Amino acid sequence: MSSSPMKEKSNSSIHLLSESPPCQLDDGSSELRCNIVHEGNSNPSSRQVKFGQDNSFATYKADLNMDRAKEKCFPHNFTANERLENHEVTDNSPSDSEGTGARNPDTERMSDIRNPVSDLIVFKYCLGGLNERALLLKEISSAASQKELENLAQLVSLYLGCSHHGRQIIIAKALVEEGTKVWDLISQNNNHVLWVNVASVIKQQFIMIAHCSSRSLTQLDLELLRKIAGCQELVAREHFEKLWCWLYPVAYTLSIHWVNSAWNSTSPKWIEGFITKEEAEYSLQGPAGLQDPGTFILRFPTSRSWPHPDAGNLVVTYIGSDYKIHHRMLSLDFIFSAGEKEKTWKPLKDMLLAEPELSRLGRFSEAARFLV
């Protein structure tokens, strides 16, 4: 494995790496340090939830063992210890990006928002867990216009103090409608379909949604998607929906111009993307130990699926100056909110290298897929 040396740092007014105050993990790991309030463990078993009705994006398998979300936003503190994804196994944690540059202080604008969605819906969404939010968004998106969803997204972001929630609401209509069409195309009214048929269609859909010009999904990418779906050779609808709720936010992020150019770069490969936390850590190990401090790999967190506020976000796994491996969520809010100012920003790779803790682009070791 080799690392690409990078140019000297330049001053940057934008910090991509999310930070938060110190904390302790449930599993005793000292790697994650943040004060996270977890969802209440009211129902430890997974359950089937009707995700829609009739021909809609039918059954959503709730892999969460929690029902209610108690979310807490953190003040931005760039000198504090990093906060990364809380779990790489489950999807039940609060946003890793809340209060890390995603906080919207313009609450005085709330009175100016004209939102046809009722206050009750806003209230239910803000207090609900991920499972309740998914069900609620499915019901709303079938009847609401895109403008109404955008208004709901703005209100929810203001109430919860994190605009990452809003992105999941904004993409809800397209995610559900396109997911329904894709499954109908694949299944042809069958309850189970072969994985090879699913993989073929998924590759095509990914190219269209992400606007990929030169880079599609590899066989290793598809293997990770099958792992996320939790299926083997036969795919049921619930497997497809698990895959789709993870993949669609990722493809949506990659469709953004700045991120898209980095994804399409293959020499060097700026975004490894479809790798796990353990695989990224293994790839940063050299023959004599860890690679040089500042070496990093970009990936998508495999535990974050729609409508988790961090679904589709990028995580940078890097070696710190303390010669330890760290994981930090990239704060991409400025990309999604730049609008017409987009041309004034630097490319994503340039802003990454402006971060003081990132200096060398690492490479994913394919051996990691078979060894971790």
Side-chain angles (χ1 to χ4, degrees):
M1 294 172 294
S2 63
S3 302
S4 302
M6 298 302 177
K7 59 186 179 182
E8 294 181 359
K9 300 294 179 186
S10 59
N11 292 331
S12 173
S13 60
I14 294 177
H15 296 296
L16 291 178
L17 304 185
S18 298
E19 296 269 3
S20 69
C23 86
Q24 182 78 26
L25 270 190
D26 290 354
D27 59 8
S29 170
S30 60
E31 183 181 24
L32 296 179
R33 303 180 184 88
C34 55
N35 186 19
I36 294 178
V37 180
H38 296 281
E39 297 175 347
N41 189 10
S42 59
N43 184 3
S45 62
S46 65
R47 55 194 177 96
Q48 293 280 356
V49 176
K50 193 67 176 176
F51 200 51
Q53 46 192 329
D54 299 326
N55 292 328
S56 60
F57 201 34
T59 308
Y60 182 76
K61 176 75 172 181
D63 286 326
L64 312 172
N65 57 1
M66 319 291 185
D67 278 331
R68 309 297 291 178
K70 297 180 180 178
E71 300 189 3
K72 179 176 180 180
C73 292
F74 300 89
H76 182 83
N77 183 358
F78 192 71
T79 60
N81 291 323
E82 70 275 7
R83 181 159 62 101
L84 53 145
E85 62 272 25
N86 185 36
H87 295 286
E88 284 287 351
V89 178
T90 59
D91 238 356
N92 55 11
S93 61
S95 169
D96 290 319
S97 27
E98 292 178 4
T100 61
R103 183 179 294 275
N104 188 345
D106 298 328
T107 55
E108 64 272 9
R109 295 165 48 205
M110 199 178 302
S111 60
D112 297 329
I113 297 176
R114 298 285 185 257
N115 187 10
V117 180
S118 70
D119 291 341
L120 179 60
I121 290 178
V122 178
F123 180 77
K124 285 183 176 180
Y125 190 91
C126 291
L127 292 185
L130 294 182
N131 189 50
E132 288 81 6
R133 289 174 178 177
L135 178 60
L136 185 61
L137 285 178
K138 173 60 197 80
E139 294 172 346
I140 294 173
S141 62
S142 63
S145 67
Q146 186 61 34
K147 180 61 176 177
E148 289 170 341
L149 288 176
E150 291 171 1
N151 289 337
L152 173 62
Q154 192 173 11
L155 279 176
V156 168
S157 295
L158 288 172
Y159 278 119
L160 293 179
C162 176
S163 60
H164 289 201
H165 291 276
R167 287 206 301 274
Q168 307 306 319
I169 297 173
I170 288 173
I171 68 174
K173 193 175 188 69
L175 181 148
V176 173
E177 291 179 353
E178 294 182 29
T180 300
K181 292 177 182 178
V182 173
W183 173 251
D184 289 345
L185 174 65
I186 296 172
S187 67
Q188 299 294 314
N189 295 322
N190 294 311
N191 293 328
H192 294 83
V193 294
L194 292 174
W195 167 253
V196 64
N197 296 334
V198 174
S200 176
V201 176
I202 285 296
K203 288 181 67 174
Q204 298 173 11
Q205 292 296 318
F206 177 80
I207 291 174
M208 289 189 292
I209 298 170
H211 304 301
C212 297
S213 60
S214 60
R215 181 182 173 187
S216 182
L217 299 179
T218 66
Q219 188 60 38
L220 286 176
D221 295 336
L222 291 171
E223 289 177 7
L224 179 62
L225 289 177
R226 182 159 66 169
K227 181 179 179 181
I228 290 172
C231 64
Q232 297 298 323
E233 294 304 319
L234 290 179
V235 182
R237 186 163 192 161
E238 69 179 60
H239 299 135
F240 170 78
E241 290 178 359
K242 287 181 183 179
L243 181 158
W244 190 256
C245 288
W246 185 87
L247 182 64
Y248 191 92
V250 167
Y252 176 78
T253 296
L254 292 176
S255 70
I256 305 302
H257 174 69
W258 302 341
V259 185
N260 189 269
S261 60
W263 170 260
N264 283 316
S265 173
T266 56
S267 183
K269 184 181 287 187
W270 277 93
I271 301 177
E272 293 291 350
F274 291 51
I275 64 175
T276 66
K277 170 185 173 182
E278 292 75 19
E279 290 167 352
E281 291 177 343
Y282 179 89
S283 297
L284 291 176
Q285 306 280 343
L290 291 177
Q291 298 182 35
D292 294 336
T295 307
F296 66 95
I297 290 176
L298 283 176
R299 62 186 177 86
F300 292 103
T302 55
S303 65
R304 299 296 190 254
S305 297
W306 180 87
H308 192 285
D310 291 330
N313 269 9
L314 280 163
V315 169
V316 57
T317 297
Y318 70 99
I319 301 174
S321 57
D322 57 358
Y323 283 89
K324 295 181 180 179
I325 295 179
H326 303 270
H327 309 267
R328 285 161 68 181
M329 191 75 67
L330 297 193
S331 180
L332 299 178
D333 265 23
F334 64 91
I335 291 181
F336 291 96
S337 60
E340 296 180 354
K341 300 179 180 179
E342 184 172 321
K343 294 181 180 180
T344 65
W345 298 103
K346 296 179 181 179
L348 177 60
K349 57 184 180 181
D350 289 346
M351 287 188 282
L352 282 167
L353 293 176
E355 291 293 332
E357 298 178 53
L358 307 180
S359 59
R360 302 172 63 90
L361 183 62
R363 295 179 59 186
F364 168 60
S365 170
E366 292 188 5
R369 182 61 50 93
F370 309 100
L371 295 176
V372 298

